[in-house]
C-alpha cells in the first residue's frame, strides 16, 4: 500500500491539470486513468472534433473559393486522411500530457480506480489488486453519453448503425445520410462537419429550437445559416424508436420514418459517478453529480470533485479552473471558483460564442437590462474574410450600473475573443472604463469596441 498527498481519479482536463499543479507544488501525487490520458476532451471530444472541422472548413474554402477570386478544380475530401490527421493530433497532445505529468513527478497508473474506504490516514483507492492511500482525493472522472430508453437504440448501438461521438469521430467512410438525435453542442458540431463534407444531415430535436440555452436572436441566424448549407431539421420532434435503416419520429401525434445510413446519438452527457465507490465514504450526490462548494470540496473532508462529474459546467476549461482551485485549497491558499463569466462556444460554421447572462437570463434575475445588438459587418476584417456573412454581436448590460452582464457573438473566430467580454464581466468594469481599451485594427474583436460605442444607458 502506497501513501500519497493527493490521489486523482481521472486523467482528463480536470484530472491531469490537478495532478500537474499538485506535482509542481511538491505534493506526492498519483493520477489514475482507466482509458487514455486527456480524457474525453482530448481523445474523443473537443480536440478531434475541432480537427475534423478544420479539415471541413479547408475543404469548403477550396470548394467555394471563387467568392474570393480563387478557383480550384476537382476538389475532394479524403475521409480516411482526415481521420489519420485527427489521430496524429490526438497522439501528439496525449503525449504532451504524459510528458507534463512526468516533468511534474506525478505517478500515473492505468486502471479503474475504486474508493474502498476512509481512515485517519486518508482515502483508500483500489486499482486492480493494488491499494493506494491519499491524504486528499480529487475525483475527476468526467461524464458519459446519456442513453435514453428508446426502443431499438441499444441494438442499433451494438450493431454500429447508431453511434456516439466516440465512434463517429473514427469513421473512415462518410455515410451518405446521417440522422442526428439531439440539436445541442455535440450534435450540431458533428452535423456541421458531415454536412460541410457532403453528407446529407438531418437533426431531430425535441425542443422547438436548436443550440440549447443559447440566445434566441443568435440561434435563429445560426439555424438559417445551417439550413442554407443544406442541413435539415425536425424541431419539436421526439424519436420513439430506432430500427434498421431509419429513425422513427413523432411530431404532433403523427409518426414518420427518417431514413439514414448512420445515426448519431447526441442528447447530452451525464456525470460519470457510478461504480466509483463514492458510497463507501458517504460522498453526497445530486442527480448523479457530486455536490461541491466554491472551493471544490465535497461533504467529506479531504475529498474534492472537479470537471463534469460535479455537473456544474460541463466544459473542459471549467474543469481546468476547478482543478486549480481544488489544489490551491489543499495547499491552504485562498482561492474560490466563480461561474459568472465562463465562456461557452458552439463550434459550428459560424461559431456561436457566449459568456455571462443572456438577455432572458438577466431579466429573470431581476436586472434592469439594456441591450446593444450590432451586425458583424461593423468589423472591417469580418467583412473582408466572410463573403455574405450575417453574424451578430449582442451585449447585455446592467442598465443601473452600466456594467456588462453578458455577451453573445455569432461569427467565425468569435471563440478567440469572447474572453475579452468575460474579463469585462469579471472585473465589473463600467462602460466608460471598457471604452478605454484599445483593440488592434483590423480585427474581428473590434466589434466589442463598436458595440460599446452604441451603448446609450438607461
Amino acid at each position: 500500500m502506497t501513501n500519497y498527498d493527493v490521489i486523482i481519479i481521472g486523467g482528463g482536463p480536470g484530472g491531469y491539470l490537478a495532478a500537474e499543479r499538485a506535482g509542481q507544488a511538491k505534493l506526492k501525487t498519483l493520477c489514475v486513468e482507466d482509458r487514455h490520458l486527456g480524457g474525453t476532451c482530448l481523445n474523443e471530444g473537443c480536440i478531434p472534433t475541432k480537427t475534423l472541422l478544420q479539415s471541413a472548413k479547408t475543404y469548403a474554402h477550396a470548394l467555394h473559393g471563387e467568392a474570393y477570386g480563387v478557383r480550384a478544380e476537382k476538389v475532394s475530401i479524403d475521409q480516411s486522411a482526415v481521420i489519420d490527421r485527427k489521430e496524429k493530433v490526438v497522439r501528439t497532445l496525449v503525449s504532451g500530457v504524459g510528458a507534463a505529468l512526468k516533468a511534474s513527478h506525478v505517478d500515473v497508473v492505468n486502471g479503474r480506480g475504486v474508493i474502498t474506504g476512509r481512515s485517519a490516514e486518508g482515502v483508500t483507492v483500489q486499482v486492480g489488486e493494488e491499494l493506494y492511500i491519499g491524504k486528499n482525493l480529487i475525483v475527476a472522472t468526467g461524464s458519459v453519453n446519456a442513453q435514453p430508453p428508446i426502443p431499438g437504440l441499444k441494438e442499433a448501438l451494438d450493431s454500429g448503425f447508431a453511434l456516439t461521438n466516440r465512434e463517429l469521430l473514427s469513421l473512415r467512410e462518410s455515410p451518405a445520410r446521417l440522422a442526428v438525435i439531439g440539436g445541442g453542442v455535440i450534435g450540431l458540431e458533428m452535423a456541421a462537419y458531415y454536412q460541410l463534407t457532403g453528407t446529407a444531415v438531418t437533426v431531430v430535436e425535441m425542443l422547438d429550437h436548436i443550440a440549447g440555452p443559447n440566445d434566441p436572436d443568435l440561434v435563429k441566424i445560426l439555424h438559417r445559416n445551417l439550413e442554407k448549407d443544406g442541413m435539415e431539421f425536425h424541431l419539436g420532434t421526439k424519436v420513439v424508436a430506432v430500427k434498421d435503416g431509419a429513425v422513427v419520429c413523432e411530431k404532433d401525434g403523427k409518426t414518420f420514418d427518417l431514413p439514414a445510413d448512420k445515426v448519431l446519438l447526441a442528447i447530452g452527457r451525464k456525470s460519470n459517478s457510478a461504480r466509483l465507490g463514492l458510497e463507501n465514504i458517504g460522498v453526497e450526490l445530486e442527480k448523479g453529480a457530486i455536490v461541491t462548494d466554491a472551493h471544490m470540496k465535497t461533504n467529506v473532508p479531504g475529498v474534492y470533485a472537479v470537471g463534469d462529474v460535479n455537473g456544474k459546467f460541463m466544459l473542459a476549461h471549467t474543469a481546468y479552473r476547478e482543478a486549480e482551485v481544488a489544489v490551491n485549497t489543499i495547499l491552504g491558499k485562498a482561492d474560490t471558483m466563480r461561474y459568472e463569466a465562463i465562456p461557452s462556444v458552439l463550434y459550428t460554421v459560424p461559431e456561436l460564442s457566449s459568456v455571462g447572462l443572456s438577455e432572458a437570463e438577466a431579466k429573470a434575475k431581476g436586472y434592469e437590462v439594456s441591450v446593444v445588438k450590432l451586425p458583424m459587418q461593423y468589423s472591417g476584417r469580418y467583412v473582408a474574410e466572410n463573403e455574405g456573412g450575417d453574424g451578430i454581436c449582442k451585449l447585455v448590460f446592467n442598465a443601473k450600473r452600466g456594467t456588462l452582464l453578458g455577451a453573445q457573438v455569432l461569427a467565425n473566430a468569435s471563440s478567440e475573443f469572447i474572453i475579452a467580454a468575460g474579463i469585462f464581466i469579471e472585473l465589473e468594469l463600467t462602460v466608460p472604463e471598457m471604452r478605454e481599451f484599445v483593440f488592434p485594427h483590423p480585427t474581428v474583436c473590434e466589434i466589442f469596441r463598436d458595440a460599446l460605442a452604441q451603448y446609450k444607458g438607461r
Side-chain angles (χ1 to χ4, degrees), residues 86-99:
K86 180 267 295 186
E87 292 180 350
K88 181 185 72 172
V89 169
V90 170
R91 283 195 304 271
T92 299
L93 294 175
V94 169
S95 175
V97 170

Side-chain angles (χ1 to χ4, degrees), residues 147-335:
Q147 294 189 14
I150 298 173
L153 178 60
K154 183 181 183 303
E155 293 79 3
L157 287 166
D158 290 342
S159 71
F161 173 56
L163 311 168
T164 67
N165 57 293
R166 176 185 295 176
E167 297 85 34
L168 195 66
L169 284 164
S170 295
L171 279 187
R172 290 188 174 271
E173 291 187 13
S174 295
R177 299 168 299 177
L178 176 66
V180 180
I181 304 175
V185 173
I186 297 172
L188 289 179
E189 290 186 359
M190 294 307 305
Y193 169 75
Y194 279 96
Q195 182 66 45
L196 285 171
T197 56
T199 294
V201 177
T202 304
V203 177
V204 182
E205 169 58 55
M206 286 187 65
L207 300 176
D208 62 0
H209 62 275
I210 59 170
N214 280 289
D215 188 282
D217 290 340
L218 282 73
V219 168
K220 289 176 184 176
I221 301 173
L222 174 63
H223 187 155
R224 185 172 70 221
N225 275 268
L226 296 176
E227 279 193 325
K228 184 174 66 177
D229 287 339
M231 199 177 297
E232 295 185 2
F233 295 93
H234 291 288
L235 304 181
T237 303
K238 182 180 180 181
V239 173
V240 294
V242 179
K243 61 183 184 180
D244 287 343
V247 173
V248 184
C249 303
E250 180 183 286
K251 182 174 183 177
D252 300 330
K254 298 179 180 178
T255 61
F256 62 92
D257 286 1
L258 176 62
D261 298 294
K262 291 290 183 183
V263 176
L264 170 63
L265 176 65
I267 64 163
R269 298 179 69 83
K270 62 180 182 178
S271 298
N272 183 22
S273 61
R275 299 185 296 116
L276 295 177
L278 295 169
E279 68 280 0
N280 294 329
I281 57 173
V283 173
E284 182 184 357
L285 301 177
E286 184 175 306
K287 296 181 179 179
I290 298 177
V291 177
T292 56
D293 66 10
H295 307 290
M296 312 324 301
K297 295 178 179 179
T298 69
N299 63 307
V300 179
V303 179
Y304 304 77
V306 303
D308 288 10
V309 76
N310 67 31
K312 294 185 182 295
F313 277 76
M314 289 190 175
L315 299 166
H317 45 278
T318 306
Y320 284 145
R321 178 66 187 129
E322 289 176 337
E324 292 174 334
V325 171
V327 173
N328 283 337
T329 302
I330 290 170
L331 293 169
K333 297 179 180 180
D335 202 357

